Amino acid sequence: WFLMSFTMKLLLKTVLLLDSIMTLLKIFTFEIKCFLFIQTLPDRCAGIEFDAIAPDEKGTSYFFKGDHLWVGFSGPAELSNGTFKDLDEYHHLGHVDAAFRMHNKKDSGDHDHIYLFLNDKVFSYYKHSLEKGFPLEIQQQFPGVPSHLDAAVECPAGECVTDAVLFFKGKDVYHFDIATKMVKKKAWDHLPNCTSAFRWLEHYYCFHGHHFTRFHPVTGEVGENYPKDARHYFMRCSDHGASGKKEPCSAVHLDAITADDTGKRYAFRGKSYIRLDSHRDGTHPFPITKSWRDVTDGVDAVFSYDSKIYLIKGNQVYIYKADAHYTLIDGYPKPLKDELGVQGPVDAAFMCEGEPTVFLIQGQKMFSVDLNATPRSVKREVSLPFTKVDAAECGADGVRVFVGSKYYKYESPTILSHMLQTEHFLNTYFYSLGQK
């Protein structure tokens, strides 16, 4: 009995030991797999030729490569089926050929859906869920559009003649009219073969290799100074442009802010600007010279009036027509004194909707100038409770005065000369814009 008891205890200890060893092996194996997975993740900063690019209904952009994708302009790769779960679970897609976000406001059941293409099939997703009845043959959904596409991109009316989609295959471009379902085929031999296409901030980009080329969606005309390296513009790479490090809240400030008559809102700082009305497409700084090529050294103040945008720098004012592409009016820049009756430089400028008066802030003074008067001159001058103002704007909810990383809100320009209002942080204002 003693021998049997001893043997049983020994066997039990052996089993427990083996069980512990197996558990450790499983943990070790899992760690190795995780390590290998992390090590084998594709790195877009190393230079990636994307298979497809498309934003979702919230404006989050997805960059596809093989069975991985990147969410937004920063962050590591992740498996595509983590976001689009049906891809592998039901249809075993290893990659996609092309993708775009539908622009079709006349059909709420189709608008803002993401279409993914593979071989001769098309998949429609909304809020990352596959729509009932999909996938379909490409010809069923888009008659006249070939299979095995290279790229696709939406083109809203106003940028194209009607709401449309551009499909790319080799040098051929298929212009698909969403309403009539008619297709026009063009050969754009001058454009590189696009492996993906992307509409962003009302511009169109053909991606090829790790470069991109901007083109006109109707004519195919290519912009100047292209191709460019995508790593400088569409992703945050430490060795290519911005590192992605966020600026401390205390360092955030503006040089100018305005909205033009078409509703486009701009914030200026240094030699760059960002769009504030385009949160669906993300935000990205652009050189001021991209839109206003003659303004090469930043701005002191900016305001919009009568389908024109006024950019003030030093003693000079540049006036551009606010059309599809800003055009400098002949004879400008001119001295600010000649145009508005105030000797430059100024710190800020703003106008309120429906009023022909521009308010110019210079040091602790604010000047009111009637833009309907000839010649234009100061009609009123008031003192302000600020030693220095960076920027100012007027909207339906009042006036905001920006000072460093903070801003102050007033009901109207007439009370700016009163005591300081409660201060707010600039970054919270920008965050609130992004939620609208």
Side-chain angles (χ1 to χ4, degrees):
W1 179 86
F2 175 79
L3 183 60
M4 289 181 62
S5 176
F6 176 78
T7 302
M8 290 299 293
K9 288 180 179 179
L10 183 61
L11 285 172
L12 181 60
K13 288 182 179 180
T14 302
V15 170
L16 291 173
L17 179 61
L18 288 173
D19 185 62
S20 297
I21 291 173
M22 291 301 295
T23 300
L24 288 172
L25 283 173
K26 287 179 180 178
I27 293 172
F28 180 73
T29 303
F30 177 77
E31 293 293 336
I32 289 293
K33 287 181 177 178
C34 287
F35 174 78
L36 291 175
F37 175 76
I38 292 170
Q39 294 301 307
T40 55
L41 281 177
D43 179 10
R44 57 178 164 180
C45 290
I48 289 286
E49 184 172 76
F50 296 112
D51 295 330
I53 307 172
D56 67 8
E57 72 283 351
K58 294 181 179 179
T60 301
S61 298
Y62 293 89
F63 296 76
F64 296 84
K65 179 63 179 179
D67 58 356
H68 286 79
L69 59 77
W70 289 263
V71 181
F73 300 107
S74 62
E78 56 188 65
L79 288 171
S80 301
N81 60 11
T83 301
F84 300 93
K85 297 186 182 301
D86 300 304
L87 283 180
D88 280 346
E89 289 183 14
Y90 302 107
H91 303 290
H92 308 292
L93 298 185
H95 71 284
V96 297
D97 293 334
F100 75 92
R101 179 181 68 188
M102 176 63 75
H103 184 92
N104 184 12
K105 290 185 176 181
K106 295 179 180 178
D107 184 354
S108 59
D110 195 31
H111 183 62
D112 275 351
H113 288 219
I114 293 182
Y115 283 86
L116 304 180
F117 298 81
L118 177 65
N119 298 330
D120 60 350
K121 296 290 192 295
V122 57
F123 303 74
S124 175
Y125 281 84
Y126 186 64
K127 295 184 178 179
H128 303 160
S129 295
L130 185 65
E131 292 292 291
K132 186 178 180 180
F134 284 86
L136 294 172
E137 299 287 331
I138 293 176
Q139 291 284 329
Q140 289 180 262
Q141 191 72 14
F142 302 99
V145 174
S147 58
H148 300 278
L149 293 164
D150 292 329
V153 65
E154 70 277 11
C155 186
E159 297 167 24
C160 282
V161 177
T162 60
D163 286 336
V165 182
L166 305 182
F167 294 97
F168 296 79
K169 185 170 182 177
K171 294 293 185 182
D172 293 330
V173 179
Y174 298 80
H175 184 110
F176 182 87
D177 187 301
I178 293 171
T180 65
K181 296 188 179 296
M182 298 294 291
V183 175
K184 292 182 180 179
K185 180 181 175 182
K186 302 177 183 178
W188 286 352
D189 295 327
H190 58 284
L191 196 65
N193 283 0
C194 308
T195 62
S196 57
F198 189 32
R199 173 184 177 265
W200 191 51
L201 299 179
E202 297 151 22
H203 291 301
Y204 292 79
Y205 301 94
C206 161
F207 284 75
H208 44 97
H210 59 266
H211 292 87
F212 68 93
T213 296
R214 198 177 95 191
F215 66 93
H216 192 284
V218 177
T219 65
E221 180 183 356
V222 172
E224 297 179 1
N225 303 317
Y226 286 93
K228 295 181 179 180
D229 194 322
R231 293 171 292 185
H232 287 288
Y233 297 88
F234 291 96
M235 58 202 79
R236 293 174 179 169
C237 302
S238 58
D239 296 331
H240 299 84
S243 65
K245 294 181 179 178
K246 291 187 177 180
E247 192 173 30
C249 293
S250 59
V252 177
H253 71 277
L254 296 178
D255 290 335
I257 187 169
T258 194
D260 69 14
D261 292 344
T262 66
K264 296 176 183 175
R265 298 189 68 196
Y266 301 98
F268 298 80
R269 178 175 166 187
K271 294 185 179 182
S272 302
Y273 75 91
I274 61 171
R275 284 273 299 275
L276 298 177
D277 62 294
S278 59
H279 59 275
R280 277 168 54 94
D281 297 309
T283 56
H284 184 87
F286 289 99
I288 291 174
T289 51
K290 175 181 179 293
S291 295
W292 304 279
R293 64 176 59 191
D294 307 276
V295 185
T296 59
D297 196 30
V299 297
D300 296 328
V302 180
F303 69 92
S304 300
Y305 174 69
D306 192 26
S307 299
K308 303 179 186 68
I309 187 166
Y310 292 64
L311 296 97
I312 301 170
K313 181 64 178 179
N315 295 315
Q316 300 290 305
V317 58
Y318 301 76
I319 304 181
Y320 286 81
K321 294 179 182 177
D323 47 22
H325 303 285
Y326 290 106
T327 306
L328 185 67
I329 295 176
D330 289 342
Y332 288 87
K334 286 184 178 180
L336 185 62
K337 179 71 173 177
D338 294 350
E339 184 68 28
L340 299 176
V342 175
Q343 182 66 41
V346 296
D347 300 318
F350 68 92
M351 294 189 69
C352 297
E353 187 175 0
E355 297 294 332
T357 300
V358 60
F359 298 92
L360 303 171
I361 298 176
Q362 186 180 69
Q364 292 184 281
K365 300 289 185 181
M366 183 172 74
F367 306 103
S368 305
V369 177
D370 184 353
L371 296 181
N372 285 340
T374 305
R376 293 168 174 172
S377 60
V378 175
K379 65 177 184 180
R380 188 181 179 211
E381 175 184 331
V382 297
S383 297
L384 300 179
F386 305 96
T387 55
K388 177 73 166 64
V389 168
D390 292 326
E393 67 170 349
C394 182
D397 58 346
V399 178
R400 287 180 178 83
V401 177
F402 299 90
V403 180
S405 61
K406 300 172 183 176
Y407 72 90
Y408 303 83
K409 192 169 177 295
Y410 293 83
E411 291 182 2
S412 72
T414 58
I415 61 172
L416 256 67
S417 59
H418 298 184
M419 67 170 54
L420 286 174
Q421 300 294 312
T422 303
E423 62 183 31
H424 307 271
F425 283 104
L426 178 59
N427 60 327
T428 61
Y429 177 50
F430 283 163
Y431 177 81
S432 69
L433 292 177
Q435 305 308 302
K436 294 181 180 179

